[in-house]
Each structure stands twice: as structure tokens, then as C-alpha cells.
Amino acid sequence: MTQQAEIQWSDAEKKIAEVALKKAYEQELKSLVQGVRGKASLISLPEDVWQLHDFLSAKRHEIDGKYDDRESFLMYTLSRLVKDGLLDLSDLMELETDKRAKISVLTRM
Amino acid sequence: MTQQAEIQWSDAEKKIAEVALKKAYEQELKSLVQGVRGKASLISLPEDVWQLHDFLSAKRHEIDGKYDDRESFLMYTLSRLVKDGLLDLSDLMELETDKRAKISVLTRM
């Protein structure tokens, strides 16, 4: 964490990160909407309803923690989104080279 | 509660209550399955997903507490199910007259 805290983000870079986070979030939620419609169409038993509830509880918890945009967490947040396929390194081309390299390394961890 | 605790349930009556609770539970869950499929088919926005999650959380909490089959709660449980339209007084015809009368009074409270 100490190392991450030393990384400086310019206002322009924060904006790039913000746009990337928004893009990833929208994509994730769009997939979730489709997924829930699909799952729900298959519900036929009471336990299916509770399974859907468990799935949504877990998903909500995951998503609530995933888009942490605090400066000291941005490297982790962005690398996780790349890892999850919600962002591409090319979405972060405008960040300085050093940050992109670090994010790239983190995605392989 | 003191008054309720004095009511005695024979084994045969407990069985009648158990069958009635099971019937109501199955009916409620069947409606829930239909309702969730209907709601889910209308989901198009991210907030719809979270609304469905909130609805399921509330419903699960409600149902978890609703089918209390402890002897001292049976009068309340049965009267609530009648009130909610999940049971009919005719489902309880085999209970002794006094219990049916009390349940009937409780449903009007």
C-alpha cells in the first residue's frame, strides 16, 4: 500500500480513470441485466427464487466494492477491471507509461 | 401471549395446522415464482436489478418469519395467513370450534 500511495495522479489522469470506471461499470451492469433476465426466465421452483436472491446479494456486494475510485486504490481497481475483461489496456492509453506498465503487471498477478 | 399459551393443541389439530401451513406456503411460493418471473422480464435498467434484489430480500425476510409453527404462535400464524388470503377458514374446519372462532376474530383485527 505504501508503494501505491506514492503514485501521483494528475487531474487529467483521474478523469481518464473515472471515464474508464464508468465504462466498465456500465458494461458490467448491462451484462448483469441480461444475466438476471435469463436466470429469471428459468425460475420454476421456490429454491430457484432464493438462489437468484443469493446470486444478487453476492453480485451487489462484489460490485459495491469493485469500483473503488480512491486515488490510492485506482491502480488495483483498474487492473482488476482489466483482469475481469471489463476494461482493455487500450482504454488506458492516455495514462502515463509507468502507470500502464504497473497496471499491466498487476493484471498478471 | 399468556392467553395464547393456554390454548391446547391435540396431535390431530397440530397435524391440521401443519397441513394448512404447508398449503399456504406452497401457494405463496408459487405466486412468488410467477411474480419474480414477471418482474424479471421487465428489467431493463441497472436500478431494476437492485429493486428486484430489495424486493427479494424483503420477501425472504417476511416469509422466514411468517410460517412460525410453534404451538404458542399457531393462532397468530394461521389467522395471518387467512388475512393474507393464503388460507381460507374452511381449510381449518376440522379444528375445534373455539379455535376457529378465535382465529376468525384475529383475522378481523
Side-chain angles (χ1 to χ4, degrees):
Chain A
M1 295 309 286
T2 317
Q3 195 191 355
Q4 294 306 318
E6 286 165 11
I7 295 171
Q8 297 297 315
W9 292 77
S10 69
D11 285 348
E13 284 188 312
K14 282 187 213 164
K15 184 74 194 165
I16 291 161
E18 185 193 314
V19 169
L21 255 59
K22 191 165 184 286
K23 180 192 161 183
Y25 180 80
E26 282 170 1
Q27 190 183 317
E28 175 153 30
L29 269 291
K30 197 175 158 190
S31 299
L32 182 61
V33 164
Q34 292 306 313
V36 170
R37 287 173 65 116
K39 277 179 196 293
S41 70
L42 299 173
I43 283 173
S44 63
L45 298 171
E47 50 262 43
D48 299 336
V49 173
W50 305 138
Q51 271 176 19
L52 176 65
H53 179 245
D54 289 339
F55 168 79
L56 288 173
S57 297
K59 210 70 194 167
R60 194 169 198 169
H61 182 73
E62 179 198 322
I63 291 174
D64 276 351
K66 196 170 179 177
Y67 292 87
D68 194 329
D69 63 354
R70 284 173 293 173
E71 201 168 330
S72 56
F73 285 91
L74 270 181
M75 298 292 283
Y76 293 115
T77 301
L78 292 171
S79 61
R80 179 177 173 181
L81 294 173
V82 172
K83 211 169 182 172
D84 287 358
L86 290 160
L87 280 183
D88 192 271
L89 282 173
S90 65
D91 294 315
L92 307 171
M93 283 302 281
E94 290 174 73
L95 294 181
E96 63 176 26
T97 315
D98 185 45
K99 285 194 186 65
R100 281 189 285 124
K102 281 180 179 157
I103 289 171
S104 177
V105 168
L106 283 169
T107 62
R108 290 193 292 272
M109 278 183 179
Chain B
M1 297 310 286
T2 317
Q3 197 191 353
Q4 293 304 318
E6 287 164 11
I7 294 172
Q8 298 297 313
W9 293 75
S10 68
D11 285 348
E13 284 188 312
K14 282 186 213 164
K15 185 71 194 167
I16 293 161
E18 186 192 312
V19 170
L21 255 61
K22 191 164 185 284
K23 180 191 161 181
Y25 180 80
E26 282 171 2
Q27 190 182 316
E28 174 153 32
L29 269 291
K30 196 175 159 189
S31 298
L32 182 61
V33 164
Q34 292 305 315
V36 169
R37 287 173 66 116
K39 277 180 195 292
S41 70
L42 299 172
I43 284 174
S44 62
L45 299 170
E47 50 262 43
D48 300 334
V49 173
W50 305 138
Q51 272 176 19
L52 176 65
H53 179 244
D54 289 340
F55 168 79
L56 288 173
S57 298
K59 210 68 193 169
R60 195 170 197 168
H61 183 72
E62 180 198 322
I63 291 175
D64 276 350
K66 196 171 180 176
Y67 292 87
D68 195 330
D69 62 355
R70 282 174 294 174
E71 201 168 329
S72 57
F73 285 92
L74 270 181
M75 298 292 283
Y76 294 114
T77 301
L78 292 170
S79 61
R80 179 174 175 187
L81 294 174
V82 172
K83 211 170 182 172
D84 286 359
L86 290 161
L87 281 183
D88 192 272
L89 283 173
S90 65
D91 295 314
L92 307 170
M93 282 303 280
E94 290 174 71
L95 294 182
E96 63 176 25
T97 315
D98 186 46
K99 285 192 185 69
R100 280 190 285 123
K102 282 181 178 155
I103 290 171
S104 177
V105 168
L106 283 169
T107 62
R108 290 193 292 271
M109 277 183 179

